[in-house]
Amino acid sequence: MTGIKVMEEISLRGLLPCVFRGMEETERIRQSEVWLSGELRLTRGCRVCIQAESGGGKSSLLSFIYGNRTDYLGQILFDAEESRRLSVEDWCELRTRHLALLPQELRLFPELSVMQNLQLKNRLTDYKTEEEMLSLLERLGIREKARERVGLLSVGQQQRVAIVRAVCQPFDFLLLDEPVSHLDQTNNLIAASIVEEEATRQGAGIVTTSVGNPLRIDNAVVIQL
């Protein structure tokens, strides 16, 4: 898979977290549009919001797709290639140029400044200029925090930093795990516009999760987990 120019589709076939094994006949699993749903196809350019109650497996699903976890039954395919067969080099290429992830726990480095956190991602591809990154921070009201240590910021401010970091790379699919859970409506809309603009520029798909406060992406297809 190394060297592909564009990823067009992610397919989920008979997917089920191993922790849910033995629960196949429960109403929770039978009503899911993802778990054991046959085949769910996410196509490049899609706008999808996956909703579930806390503990429903939203974070697990994105971790499965991103390759951070493999404790699931079924298959995940990238353009018809089974993800379990990918090499370490393949995964590095995918995560650098085709898949971007904003995890729920953010995974920022608290001892580094805001800009240092952004540069750690950005320097892999030099996708954004420093002024472009500062402009995104300004739109989210935190440009003046650019040189401050992330550990001194509020959770909401850290979430805004993580949103900017997520778009500092090329991608065909942007995976966002409850990206605005700590943002007010105004910043939700600003974050949504940044994400939408970047995904549209790249022709990419957006897959976001929510437990009740979704990213305000227009025309997103809602899927119940």
Side-chain angles (χ1 to χ4, degrees), residues 15-21 35 56-57 60 64 69 71-73:
L15 204 65
L16 186 72
C18 289
V19 70
F20 291 165
R21 186 182 296 175
W35 305 137
S60 296
F64 296 157
R69 290 174 53 185
D71 53 322
Y72 61 86
L73 308 176

Side-chain angles (χ1 to χ4, degrees), residues 51-187:
Q51 292 189 342
E53 297 179 356
S54 181
K58 300 181 300 302
S59 297
S60 296
L61 175 62
L62 297 192
S63 291
F64 296 157
I65 294 173
Y66 198 67
N68 284 338
R69 290 174 53 185
T70 58
D71 53 322
Y72 61 86
L73 308 176
Q75 293 179 301
I76 298 174
L77 299 97
F78 301 127
D79 288 344
E81 185 164 357
E82 230 285 356
S83 63
R84 294 185 191 273
R85 297 176 182 172
L86 299 180
S87 66
V88 172
E89 292 76 14
D90 288 335
W91 277 113
C92 289
E93 175 74 10
L94 283 171
R95 292 168 180 166
T96 301
R97 300 192 176 275
H98 303 288
L99 292 175
L101 172 68
L102 192 168
Q104 185 178 356
E105 63 273 23
L106 304 182
R107 296 180 192 164
L108 297 168
F109 294 91
E111 70 279 10
L112 300 182
S113 72
V114 168
M115 283 303 297
Q116 287 172 329
N117 271 274
L118 299 184
Q119 289 287 10
L120 280 175
K121 165 70 76 68
N122 190 67
R123 67 168 55 119
L124 296 174
T125 58
D126 291 323
Y127 184 71
K128 296 283 188 187
T129 66
E130 181 170 333
E131 188 52 45
E132 285 173 331
M133 290 185 283
L134 288 170
S135 177
L136 293 175
L137 293 175
E138 183 169 11
R139 288 174 65 180
L140 286 164
I142 52 173
R143 179 170 178 148
E144 75 281 0
K145 304 292 185 181
R147 308 302 171 186
E148 287 193 20
R149 287 194 295 115
V150 162
L152 300 178
L153 273 55
S154 70
V155 176
Q157 290 170 334
Q158 290 182 23
Q159 199 162 49
R160 282 176 267 174
V161 173
I163 289 167
V164 174
R165 182 192 58 184
V167 300
C168 287
Q169 70 166 92
F171 55 81
D172 296 313
F173 290 87
L174 177 58
L175 313 175
L176 306 166
D177 192 7
E178 295 192 45
V180 293
S181 57
H182 295 281
L183 300 189
D184 57 31
Q185 183 175 357
T186 297
N187 281 303

Side-chain angles (χ1 to χ4, degrees), residues 36-37 42 44 69 91 108 116 118 136 188 208 218:
L36 298 180
S37 63
L42 303 171
R44 186 167 176 264
R69 290 174 53 185
W91 277 113
L108 297 168
Q116 287 172 329
L118 299 184
L136 293 175
N188 184 322
T208 184
D218 291 336

